[in-house]
Amino acid sequence: MNEQTQQEQIITALDATKDEPRIIRETGIDAKVASLIEPAINAAGFRLVRVRLSGLNGLTLQIMAERPDGTMTVEDCEIVSKTVSPVLDVEDPIDGKYHLEVSSPGIDRPMVRKSDFANWQGHIAKLETSLLHDNRKKFRGRIIKVETDTVTLEADQATYGAEAQTVIPFDIIAEARLILTDDLIRDALRKDKDLREGRIPGDQLSDEINLDSGNAGAPESDTDI
């Protein structure tokens, strides 16, 4: 594959996913914060992955974001932090002082869009549904098929009485994330390398990646508000 063809394929993929809505969204105060900051994040060229307010370190507002191609550097986290901070200051949706943490989704990422499931087909995920499905709400398995309205998991662990494969409608999935495995780490690093080597002309992403010391987590930018 020549360089131009590879670039064209990347551009086509980005055009198809950059405006893709999230199918898994927040509730309560998290949803309120998400509705306030998502337009600003999108305008800056990023996509919101998740918002979560927790009691960590007193009170921490965690914002996960990424570029449409799935990459996210430390510098990108700082851009998102500077983008959302004025919005949060003006709207003041959270009572009291809190710690703002901006990060990428990481390798064992939450999956919030249909394309997340398609992009990581073949890897193991853990899902929780909002309604009983096949008499349970928790599922784990390898993503073997992704269709318009459903995802099919194949159990990676033997469970007595459970079907080997389960078809789950997207509209009842409340939470989903990838399970960290050696295969996932290897494929994530390969995808990142391929994206950077086939970088779209004019893209100013840094070539740095924060995956050292055995830490598969994401780069973060922290701010106290």
Side-chain angles (χ1 to χ4, degrees):
M1 181 185 299
N2 61 47
E3 183 179 352
Q4 182 62 34
T5 300
Q6 186 179 35
Q7 290 172 349
E8 288 174 353
Q9 288 185 343
I10 293 174
I11 292 171
T12 300
L14 294 186
D15 285 342
T17 61
K18 63 183 179 181
D19 297 324
E20 182 188 2
R22 294 183 297 153
I23 59 170
I24 300 175
R25 305 183 71 89
E26 300 81 3
T27 59
I29 185 64
D30 294 344
K32 182 178 180 180
V33 172
S35 68
L36 293 172
I37 66 173
E38 190 162 16
I41 288 176
N42 292 343
F46 299 89
R47 302 194 307 178
L48 179 65
V49 175
R50 186 183 72 187
V51 171
R52 178 167 293 175
L53 184 65
S54 72
L56 185 66
N57 295 328
L59 200 60
T60 296
L61 177 64
Q62 182 194 56
I63 298 171
M64 284 186 180
E66 63 186 354
R67 288 188 178 267
D69 64 3
T71 60
M72 192 72 173
T73 66
V74 173
E75 290 80 8
D76 292 333
C77 291
E78 292 172 352
I79 292 171
V80 172
S81 180
K82 292 176 181 178
T83 298
V84 303
S85 290
V87 178
L88 295 171
D89 287 343
V90 171
E91 300 294 340
D92 197 21
I94 301 170
D95 292 333
K97 187 176 180 180
Y98 59 91
H99 182 64
L100 176 62
E101 175 187 289
V102 177
S103 73
S104 79
I107 294 180
D108 53 339
R109 59 170 299 140
M111 294 187 292
V112 299
R113 292 177 171 86
K114 292 180 181 180
S115 61
D116 294 336
F117 293 85
N119 289 339
W120 297 103
Q121 187 168 323
H123 291 283
I124 300 170
K126 182 165 59 176
L127 278 63
E128 186 168 346
T129 58
S130 57
L131 305 171
L132 279 176
H133 184 67
D134 288 349
N135 295 315
R136 55 192 175 123
K137 286 189 172 183
K138 295 184 178 181
F139 300 85
R140 172 184 162 131
R142 194 173 304 278
I143 303 170
I144 62 169
K145 190 174 184 180
V146 180
E147 298 183 288
T148 303
D149 299 317
T150 63
V151 57
T152 301
L153 297 186
E154 184 173 74
D156 68 308
Q157 299 175 337
T159 303
Y160 179 76
E163 296 289 335
Q165 294 185 3
T166 306
V167 180
I168 304 171
F170 280 121
D171 62 5
I172 66 169
I173 298 177
E175 283 191 48
R177 72 177 306 119
L178 290 169
I179 299 294
L180 195 63
T181 65
D182 290 341
D183 286 344
L184 177 61
I185 294 172
R186 182 174 57 252
D187 282 358
L189 291 172
R190 184 185 299 118
K191 283 187 179 184
D192 184 89
K193 181 175 182 290
D194 289 345
L195 280 168
R196 294 175 189 282
E197 290 182 349
R199 181 62 56 205
I200 299 169
D203 194 300
Q204 299 299 314
L205 277 180
S206 166
D207 288 330
E208 297 178 5
I209 183 169
N210 184 23
L211 292 168
D212 59 327
S213 303
N215 177 13
E220 297 178 356
S221 175
D222 299 335
T223 305
D224 284 314
I225 294 180

